[in-house]
Amino acid sequence: MKNKRAERKRFLASLLAVIMVVTMLISIIAPFLGHSVYGAQETSMETIDESENVSEKKPVEILGNFDVKAEIGFDNKYIVDKYVPFKFIVSNNGSDIKGELQVKVYNFLSTDSWRPSQYSIYFVPIELNSGGAKEIEMKAHVPVLANSFSVSIVNENGETVYLKNYKVSAKAPETVWTGVLSEMPSELDYLKEFNSVNNERTKHYNGIDYFDTINFGKENFPNDVSLLNNFKVIIINNFNTSYLSAEQKEALKQWIEMGGTLLVGTGANAGKVLGGLSDIFSVSGDMSVLAASISEMSQAEQPSLASDNINVNSIQFDEGDIFANSELPFASGIRIGSGSVVVLNFDMGERAVAGLNGIISYFEKIYSIAVPELTNISNAEDDYYNNNYYSGNQYRYYPVEDYATRLRPYGAEMLRVIYIVIACYIILAGPVIYIFLKRKDKREKAWVLIPVLSIAVTVGIYVLGFSSYYRKGIVNFVSEVVVENGSDVGDAKVFAGVAISDKGSVNFTAEEPFSVLVNSSSYYSYDRKEGEICKLKINAEKNKADVTFFDSSSWKANEFSSEKTFELGGAITADISFENGVYTGTVTNNGNIDLYDVVITTDSSFENLGDCRAGETINVNFDEKANLVNGYSDFYERANKLFGLDYEKRDLQSQWNNFDAWFKVRVIDDYNSSNSGSFYEFADGNSVNLNVSLYAFNYDRIIGGDKFVNGEEINEQWQNVFIVNLPVEFKLDGQWQIPFGYIKPMSVLDEDGNNCINDYSYGYREIYVHQAGKIVATFNIPEVAKGFIVSWVKSNEMTTAPQIYNRETNEWEDIKSGWYDDISAYVDELGNIELSAVASYGGINFEIPEISLKGGE
């Protein structure tokens, strides 16, 4: 009987020990389940097309004692998948109220009864006395088509006291808007003909107008670059720009640097038009006007006017004029960052200009040089991701955005200690204790020792885990800082992913004020229930970092972004020249930040120049052919050569190093791949600028102060990419030739208008043929060129040899192997040539065509 009781005790003690061991192990590893170093958080996306009849669920209106006047979008229109401005004037005719003004924005609209729609709430706190009125502004990202927005006022008890649905007009993501800032916008109505011309070129859109013009005034001109990104071109004419606020001018500057094109009309109004733009660009020359023959401007037809003259001045850009060698009188332009500024020597609203025959051709020529991708719109049925983010048409692609959700390994030493404790416990709790007690003939003490040891180890692991890096969660910041060569400030775009071990709501706040942008893109919902789901709540107050993610899973990296001007403390300057295939020069860091792994990249080569710490100068001397890139298959070799990536080493420190190297190469690849334009531009008649890029990295905080999740401090990681775009001068001395590889096609389209340029990896560009039939590649031939030669090898998938269009015969002819010296036979009025090939079937890749140019005496 005693033996059975003893056996039962031993069994219960052993069971208790096993339960405690299992519990301890689960408690240790649970926080790390779902965390993947290299794994990306994937979201299935679904796009609502403008042609689909999807009606959002409109709640019953409650007007109460409030009157709310609303201005939504631009002229009550907005572009889907852009940031939309909201402006409200709230009048309170009832009792005092404290609460929130809310705007409901759908992230996903469901047409299925079993699948719920999903939405975000953008809000601004409101406190309004009886009889009072208040103006409120906010912006919201609107990822799906909606024909109305629900605006509500919620009191501090959570009760809805006002609700109204405001109708709007939604435009497709491919829409191209031109903004006009003028005291007399009607003077520029003739430019709307340019919209008609471009809309005619997009007939595969079944007559939908994708080009439109929006008029601005001082009050509604955007003061935020994310709102200006709704526009591809902005025209300022006959407007006193000194009336613009500092925020509006800063937003305009950032918009240009990020790829926008600004056209400025001057003439007799040059003083007031240019007065407020001196922080963006500078010009020289006399602002006084004189009469000039208008016939000089005629591009297509002879002028037919009562007057033969217009008033012009002599203002121009002294250096880098992109029109220096073109037949464009009275126009001067420069590149600023990824964008352009064009200054015209005349008032665009002058009657003589507006009535000029061929004036649209004149502006078409300006656009073809300053913003050549303007009309290169991908087909609406093209792949959503490539169409909207890679094409460069409507969106700026940020490669760093992809890495905010990828958490790198951290806290390796603490994890090692925990693993050692677990290993020691497994050894001690089993063989060691048993053998020791057996020798002492005290095995019954195992009933007590094993549970006691288990409790002690569990407590120890808990203490160690409490101090673990992962306990507080992580906010992972990845930023892009674009710096002009010689500038001491950079435009920073910051992306973040917030991940914690808990499930449920995740509220992120920050000590330092900054604006939080949430790109709540539409995505497929797997929830099977009726009704609607609120996914996000965003405080839309300016510079208020306050966002709540609902129903978050453990270690899901919830995403947001921000923008700011980053002070470097001194200029980053690169002085690099190119001769005989070799780049030489220096890079100097006069700032107060350290730059690590400075990498120079060309169209097809790369070189790691080493670290450039604050106050240091490093030398540049590398042969362009030394490190040629052969495509994506060359990734590992390039990563190893640039940053020492070694997948063979699996310890935690090596994993961190490998992640760092992997991240850097992927980001460089992504940036180079997303640049589908030519890697050259003519600076003047004697030189060409080769577009070379510098990349550098560091891990400093761009946004200071502590960060909090659900009121508790959270760990933060930073990875910053500094980008300096360098126009390296290539002299055109005597007879010159630009080799193959530098000049990229402006567009490659199939018969349905689909974009066929395939940019999956750095240095490896090809054509993806969507379907059988003809594809057409368009190249621009500058007027300084005296000849060109084409390289496009016929592949087995082509039904015929590649051809070139002869504009004199109006026929396609086979591409010859030698030089084309008679350029005029193949170049249109915009300086473009067209090459074509016919694919025998779809879903295949072609080599991208290349051209070489020659000139000189």
Side-chain angles (χ1 to χ4, degrees):
M1 195 69 177
K2 289 183 178 180
N3 289 337
K4 288 183 178 181
R5 189 178 294 113
E7 289 178 2
R8 189 179 298 114
K9 289 182 179 179
R10 284 196 296 269
F11 173 77
L12 292 174
S14 300
L15 180 62
L16 176 62
V18 170
I19 291 173
M20 297 184 73
V21 170
V22 172
T23 302
M24 181 190 71
L25 293 175
I26 291 176
S27 67
I28 293 169
I29 65 174
F32 307 106
L33 295 176
H35 169 64
S36 176
V37 173
Y38 298 103
Q41 299 289 339
E42 295 184 357
T43 302
S44 179
M45 300 180 65
E46 182 172 301
T47 308
I48 305 297
D49 190 83
E50 191 172 16
S51 62
E52 293 186 29
N53 184 19
V54 179
S55 60
E56 56 272 26
K57 299 174 178 61
K58 299 177 182 178
V60 177
E61 294 186 345
I62 304 171
L63 299 182
N65 296 314
F66 297 91
D67 178 40
V68 180
K69 293 181 173 60
E71 295 179 16
I72 300 175
F74 301 92
D75 292 347
N76 208 42
K77 298 178 287 189
Y78 77 94
I79 299 177
V80 175
D81 215 12
K82 293 287 191 179
Y83 277 93
V84 179
F86 293 80
K87 185 176 181 179
F88 304 99
I89 298 178
V90 182
S91 299
N92 181 11
N93 301 316
S95 57
D96 298 350
I97 186 172
K98 183 177 182 181
E100 297 174 354
L101 176 71
Q102 300 181 350
V103 177
K104 183 179 183 179
V105 177
Y106 282 94
N107 308 322
F108 170 76
L109 277 171
S110 174
T111 56
D112 303 314
S113 60
W114 57 268
R115 183 171 54 173
S117 296
Q118 299 184 359
Y119 63 92
S120 297
I121 291 294
Y122 287 81
F123 75 95
V124 171
I126 184 172
E127 189 170 354
L128 197 57
N129 296 329
S130 176
K134 187 174 185 179
E135 182 177 284
I136 296 175
E137 293 185 15
M138 67 170 73
K139 64 180 178 180
H141 177 256
V142 182
V144 299
L145 185 153
N147 295 317
S148 67
F149 291 98
S150 295
V151 178
S152 60
I153 298 176
V154 178
N155 64 24
E156 56 188 341
N157 297 322
E159 301 168 333
T160 300
V161 295
Y162 175 89
L163 192 153
K164 186 175 181 179
N165 303 307
Y166 291 85
K167 292 184 178 181
V168 291
S169 177
K171 301 299 178 183
E174 295 80 15
T175 297
V176 178
W177 277 349
T178 296
V180 172
L181 181 59
S182 173
E183 295 172 5
M184 297 289 291
S186 60
E187 296 177 336
L188 304 180
D189 281 349
Y190 70 92
L191 288 175
K192 293 180 180 178
E193 183 182 343
F194 194 61
N195 294 331
S196 300
V197 171
N198 289 329
N199 282 317
E200 282 295 313
R201 293 175 176 172
T202 57
K203 289 183 177 179
H204 54 273
Y205 287 119
N206 300 318
I208 297 175
D209 291 340
Y210 283 83
F211 290 82
D212 200 358
T213 298
I214 303 294
N215 293 326
F216 292 128
K218 175 186 180 298
E219 298 301 323
N220 70 339
F221 189 81
N223 60 4
D224 188 292
V225 69
S226 63
L227 298 178
L228 279 176
N229 284 338
N230 284 276
F231 300 87
K232 190 63 182 176
V233 177
I234 291 177
I235 298 171
I236 301 180
N237 186 79
N238 190 16
F239 181 86
N240 192 335
T241 55
S242 63
Y243 291 160
L244 294 176
S245 68
E247 289 181 325
Q248 288 172 322
K249 287 185 280 190
E250 179 60 28
L252 180 62
K253 179 182 177 182
Q254 292 181 23
W255 173 80
I256 296 169
E257 293 173 346
M258 292 166 58
T261 297
L262 174 66
L263 267 66
V264 182
T266 60
N269 293 314
K272 72 175 184 178
V273 173
L274 297 173
L277 302 177
S278 58
D279 290 338
I280 301 176
F281 63 88
S282 60
V283 292
S284 62
D286 192 351
M287 290 190 184
S288 60
V289 295
L290 52 84
S293 173
I294 199 169
S295 62
E296 295 183 47
M297 293 179 60
S298 181
Q299 296 291 307
E301 305 174 28
Q302 292 299 315
S304 176
L305 298 166
S307 172
D308 292 330
N309 295 323
I310 59 171
N311 295 314
V312 300
N313 54 42
S314 59
I315 294 171
Q316 64 180 2
F317 293 104
D318 293 329
E319 297 180 0
D321 185 358
I322 58 178
F323 302 124
N325 298 293
S326 68
E327 296 176 359
L328 279 172
F330 316 130
S332 180
I334 58 169
R335 305 288 185 198
I336 298 180
S338 300
S340 306
V341 174
V342 178
V343 172
L344 304 175
N345 299 125
F346 54 89
D347 185 334
M348 298 168 67
E350 188 174 336
R351 181 174 300 179
V353 175
L356 173 64
N357 291 333
I359 187 62
I360 298 302
S361 297
Y362 177 84
F363 282 103
E364 192 170 32
K365 182 72 173 180
I366 289 176
Y367 286 1
S368 70
I369 297 174
V371 53
E373 75 278 11
L374 182 69
T375 59
N376 180 21
I377 299 179
S378 301
N379 188 284
E381 297 178 358
D382 194 7
D383 176 76
Y384 177 84
Y385 189 72
N386 284 332
N387 183 32
N388 290 336
Y389 290 95
Y390 279 94
S391 69
N393 259 346
Q394 308 297 328
Y395 298 83
R396 171 94 187 274
Y397 172 52
Y398 298 95
V400 294
E401 182 177 5
D402 293 342
Y403 303 99
T405 59
R406 302 171 187 251
L407 309 180
R408 66 177 184 253
Y410 205 91
E413 294 303 323
M414 180 60 68
L415 287 177
R416 284 197 187 96
V417 173
I418 292 175
Y419 294 152
I420 291 171
V421 171
I422 294 173
C424 291
Y425 173 77
I426 292 172
I427 295 172
L428 290 173
V432 172
I433 290 180
Y434 179 79
I435 293 171
F436 176 77
L437 294 177
K438 181 180 179 181
R439 288 184 176 179
K440 298 292 185 179
D441 197 20
K442 300 289 185 180
R443 282 171 288 182
E444 68 278 3
K445 291 187 177 181
W447 308 341
V448 177
L449 289 178
I450 291 179
V452 169
L453 181 61
S454 177
I455 292 172
V457 172
T458 302
V459 171
I461 292 296
Y462 176 81
V463 172
L464 292 173
F466 189 80
S467 60
S468 168
Y469 179 80
Y470 293 99
R471 181 188 64 82
K472 294 194 293 185
I474 300 169
V475 53
N476 183 42
F477 290 99
V478 183
S479 73
E480 165 200 284
V481 185
V482 178
V483 184
E484 289 290 312
N485 186 20
S487 175
D488 60 355
V489 296
D491 292 321
K493 183 75 173 180
V494 182
F495 296 90
V498 182
I500 62 175
S501 60
D502 296 335
K503 299 179 181 179
S505 297
V506 177
N507 172 246
F508 173 86
T509 55
E511 196 172 61
E512 178 181 310
F514 69 92
S515 179
V516 169
L517 308 177
V518 179
N519 189 2
S520 51
S521 297
S522 57
Y523 55 89
Y524 192 92
S525 172
Y526 293 96
D527 296 295
R528 289 181 173 269
K529 61 182 180 180
E530 296 181 357
E532 299 179 339
I533 298 175
C534 182
K535 301 297 292 185
L536 293 165
K537 188 175 182 182
I538 304 123
N539 191 330
E541 289 182 284
K542 190 170 185 181
N543 292 329
K544 186 69 173 181
D546 181 3
V547 57
T548 301
F549 303 87
F550 298 112
D551 195 26
S552 177
S553 58
S554 177
W555 290 111
K556 176 185 177 181
N558 301 283
E559 301 173 71
F560 66 85
S561 64
S562 186
E563 300 168 342
K564 68 175 297 183
T565 299
F566 183 63
E567 302 288 342
L568 304 174
I572 296 177
T573 304
D575 183 11
I576 301 175
S577 60
F578 178 77
E579 188 174 356
N580 298 325
V582 177
Y583 290 87
T584 57
T586 58
V587 176
T588 301
N589 178 7
N590 294 308
N592 55 18
I593 60 170
D594 295 332
L595 301 177
Y596 303 98
D597 288 320
V598 180
V599 176
I600 184 172
T601 67
T602 68
D603 180 35
S604 57
S605 188
F606 62 90
E607 180 80 2
N608 190 336
L609 306 177
D611 298 340
C612 188
R613 297 178 183 270
E616 291 185 350
T617 296
I618 56 176
N619 293 321
V620 178
N621 188 345
F622 85 99
D623 190 323
E624 185 178 39
K625 297 181 180 179
N627 296 317
L628 291 177
V629 177
N630 299 316
Y632 192 82
S633 59
D634 190 46
F635 175 86
Y636 178 81
E637 179 183 348
R638 188 164 66 260
N640 190 31
K641 186 167 186 177
L642 279 171
F643 307 113
L645 184 147
D646 188 354
Y647 279 132
E648 299 299 323
K649 295 181 179 179
R650 292 297 180 181
D651 61 276
L652 287 172
Q653 184 60 45
S654 296
Q655 285 186 33
W656 194 101
N657 294 335
N658 285 341
F659 180 90
D660 194 47
W662 170 85
F663 163 78
K664 291 175 180 177
V665 179
R666 285 298 302 271
V667 166
I668 292 174
D669 277 9
D670 288 348
Y671 273 107
N672 281 278
S673 297
S674 64
N675 182 2
S676 59
S678 293
F679 274 72
Y680 84 105
E681 58 187 22
F682 280 86
D684 51 46
N686 299 314
S687 64
V688 169
N689 286 332
L690 306 179
N691 292 333
V692 174
S693 296
L694 278 180
Y695 300 91
F697 304 86
N698 86 351
Y699 311 98
D700 297 339
R701 288 185 178 188
I702 286 181
I703 299 173
D706 292 333
K707 318 296 187 299
F708 304 91
V709 167
N710 298 338
E712 296 184 1
E713 189 176 345
I714 191 172
N715 297 309
E716 53 186 303
Q717 300 177 349
W718 282 89
Q719 291 169 298
N720 307 314
V721 183
F722 291 82
I723 303 167
V724 184
N725 296 313
L726 301 173
V728 175
E729 189 177 56
F730 173 34
K731 288 290 186 180
L732 304 179
D733 295 329
Q735 292 186 344
W736 54 266
Q737 178 180 342
I738 299 176
F740 291 112
Y742 282 100
I743 305 170
K744 296 293 181 293
M746 295 169 57
S747 66
V748 181
L749 304 176
D750 66 12
E751 293 176 347
D752 287 336
N754 292 308
N755 175 32
C756 299
I757 295 180
N758 194 358
D759 288 324
Y760 286 130
S761 65
Y762 167 38
Y764 188 67
R765 294 178 176 85
E766 57 188 4
I767 296 170
Y768 178 76
V769 181
H770 300 262
Q771 58 194 22
K774 179 180 285 188
I775 57 173
V776 177
T778 303
F779 288 85
N780 183 261
I781 308 297
E783 295 176 6
V784 70
K786 304 300 182 184
F788 65 86
I789 186 172
V790 179
S791 174
W792 199 2
V793 179
K794 179 183 182 301
S795 69
N796 294 330
E797 293 82 8
M798 294 180 184
T799 58
T800 61
Q803 296 185 316
I804 186 171
Y805 188 67
N806 189 318
R807 301 188 181 278
E808 291 184 350
T809 64
N810 291 323
E811 293 181 351
W812 290 94
E813 60 187 45
D814 289 349
I815 296 172
K816 67 181 183 180
S817 59
W819 285 91
Y820 287 87
D821 296 312
D822 184 11
I823 294 180
S824 61
Y826 301 94
V827 175
D828 66 11
E829 66 275 8
L830 299 179
N832 298 332
I833 64 168
E834 292 184 327
L835 312 176
S836 72
V838 179
S840 55
Y841 51 91
I844 57 176
N845 292 313
F846 285 169
E847 265 188 31
I848 200 165
E850 295 183 337
I851 66 171
S852 173
L853 301 178
K854 68 177 181 179
E857 301 298 333

